[in-house]
Amino acid sequence: MNKVVVNPENYQNTYLQYLNQCFPNWGNETAYNWVFERKVGENASDILLLKDENNEVIAGSSITYRIVQLEDKSSINIGIMTGSWTLPQARGKGCFSQIIEESKRICFSRNVPFLTAFVTESNASYRRLKEAGFYCKIADNIFSNEVAFSTNQDFSSVKIIPVNIDVLHAKYQDLSSHYSTFAYTKEEFKKQYANRLTNTQCISINQTLFLYEDTGAIIKLLFSSGFNSQDLVCFCDWMRYKEDKKVMFFLSDVSKIKIAQKANFHFVKGFLTIQKTHESIIETAEIFKNISINLGDKM
């Protein structure tokens, strides 16, 4: 069995090198700090490494922590497996399975009852998590098309507005009356949704607010205060005409997924995979079946 090292000292630069080796252009020190050093809730992120019999590092992962507020206003802590990697020479040797078990152990030791991970259907990690018995909640990556939906779109209702955290946070909190959601204080929401790695902007379309991030290659729609196909298509067409870029967003609600399907958006099938961290914890499916996740909730 490989040796496990948790939260090694002065390891940031080395860990960042491994991330970029396994995921080319993963990011720099600024990205590392935003993903791993930023605290949401009471638990700081954990880093774990696997070392082989020669004491050589062969794999690693992180657990970032969030709070989910349920529809009854109670809340639970979750851990999210973030940036898991295995060096090429160690792949196929059970490293990821060991990372899963160690991550569950760490979460349980912190009174965190559920371990989660975001994956796409084509990802090898999804297949391994499914085999390990993780509950798979639909959570799709969705893209606008290469061309505009309409050639005569009316943009008269589009208004560029300031990013107002007070208003956006209040709109976000409105979601919790209908869904389970990730919970943020106003300051945590600002750091998660507005103070991101690239510039965030906001527009209004027929009173619906769209908060988005321009990554250079694509527009990431982080949050919208409402959801209907007409305003969503208008937003995507505006970005196609104004920036000549596709829009990406994220949906975990089945009714919203059906709206996007009917409007002919492009889907990359994905899941939020979830497993309890100890046998004594209540079952998973009933807790997470009505969770609403935005692209802004993700790293």
Side-chain angles (χ1 to χ4, degrees):
M1 182 66 70
N2 300 309
K3 178 183 177 182
V4 179
V5 181
V6 179
N7 294 325
E9 294 183 2
N10 304 317
Y11 207 78
Q12 174 179 326
N13 290 337
T14 305
Y15 194 86
L16 187 57
Q17 290 173 9
Y18 283 128
L19 275 172
N20 280 289
Q21 179 179 342
C22 294
F23 306 106
N25 302 313
W26 183 91
N28 55 18
E29 183 179 350
T30 300
Y32 181 98
N33 290 337
W34 191 84
V35 173
F36 300 119
E37 299 293 339
R38 184 172 48 88
K39 186 177 177 183
V40 181
E42 61 185 30
N43 291 310
S45 300
D46 286 302
I47 296 287
L48 66 93
L49 303 174
L50 298 187
K51 291 186 175 182
D52 64 13
E53 65 277 7
N54 299 316
N55 207 36
E56 296 290 332
V57 173
I58 55 173
S61 186
S62 170
I63 310 167
T64 54
Y65 296 95
R66 294 294 182 267
I67 298 171
V68 173
Q69 180 174 303
L70 307 178
E71 295 167 86
D72 64 3
K73 304 306 178 184
S74 63
S75 61
I76 55 173
N77 291 307
I78 65 169
I80 306 173
M81 295 176 65
T82 306
S84 303
W85 50 269
T86 302
L87 295 180
Q89 66 271 23
R91 289 171 188 166
K93 298 182 179 180
C95 291
F96 189 59
S97 296
Q98 188 176 0
I99 285 172
I100 292 171
E101 292 307 310
E102 289 296 329
S103 298
K104 287 167 61 178
R105 182 190 62 78
I106 292 168
C107 284
F108 185 69
S109 73
R110 294 188 176 279
N111 296 316
V112 175
F114 295 100
L115 176 67
T116 71
F118 288 101
V119 291
T120 57
E121 191 173 42
S122 61
N123 193 299
S125 297
Y126 161 67
R127 296 189 291 275
R128 181 64 197 94
L129 290 161
K130 188 176 181 181
E131 289 169 358
F134 276 63
Y135 168 65
C136 299
K137 171 70 175 78
I138 292 173
D140 291 338
N141 299 279
I142 304 171
F143 298 83
S144 60
N145 299 311
E146 295 293 338
V147 296
F149 288 91
S150 173
T151 57
N152 59 349
Q153 182 69 258
D154 179 9
F155 294 127
S156 61
S157 60
V158 177
K159 296 180 176 62
I160 301 171
I161 60 174
V163 176
N164 187 319
I165 294 300
D166 290 336
V167 171
L168 288 164
H169 184 245
K171 294 287 188 183
Y172 179 87
Q173 288 184 308
D174 287 344
L175 290 173
S176 63
S177 61
H178 305 288
Y179 302 96
S180 299
T181 60
F182 282 34
Y184 305 98
T185 66
K186 189 186 298 182
E187 186 61 26
E188 289 170 347
F189 181 84
K190 179 180 179 181
K191 291 178 180 178
Q192 180 73 31
Y193 273 80
N195 296 351
R196 295 178 68 86
L197 295 174
T198 53
N199 186 40
T200 54
Q201 301 174 62
C202 192
I203 65 173
S204 171
I205 302 175
N206 295 321
Q207 308 305 312
T208 300
L209 304 182
F210 292 84
L211 179 67
Y212 63 95
E213 177 182 25
D214 186 345
T215 68
I218 199 168
I219 301 294
K220 289 186 175 182
L221 175 56
L222 305 174
F223 170 68
S224 62
S225 63
F227 196 89
N228 66 74
S229 60
Q230 181 178 348
D231 292 346
L232 183 60
V233 165
C234 182
F235 174 80
C236 293
D237 282 352
W238 168 262
M239 290 302 163
R240 173 56 65 187
Y241 286 121
K242 181 178 172 55
E243 304 292 345
D244 195 25
K245 293 172 184 175
K246 291 197 296 187
V247 172
M248 175 186 180
F249 55 100
F250 194 79
L251 290 177
S252 61
D253 177 69
V254 173
S255 62
K256 293 179 180 179
I257 287 172
K258 289 180 179 178
I259 291 172
Q261 288 173 332
K262 191 173 181 179
N264 294 319
F265 281 88
H266 175 66
F267 280 68
V268 175
K269 202 69 182 172
F271 300 91
L272 173 65
T273 58
I274 310 150
Q275 191 171 77
K276 59 185 182 181
T277 58
H278 194 272
E279 286 303 313
S280 62
I281 296 166
I282 60 175
E283 291 303 322
T284 304
E286 287 300 312
I287 296 176
F288 291 94
K289 69 179 182 180
N290 198 35
I291 190 170
S292 179
I293 307 166
N294 296 291
L295 187 56
D297 293 316
K298 296 182 66 179
M299 297 300 170

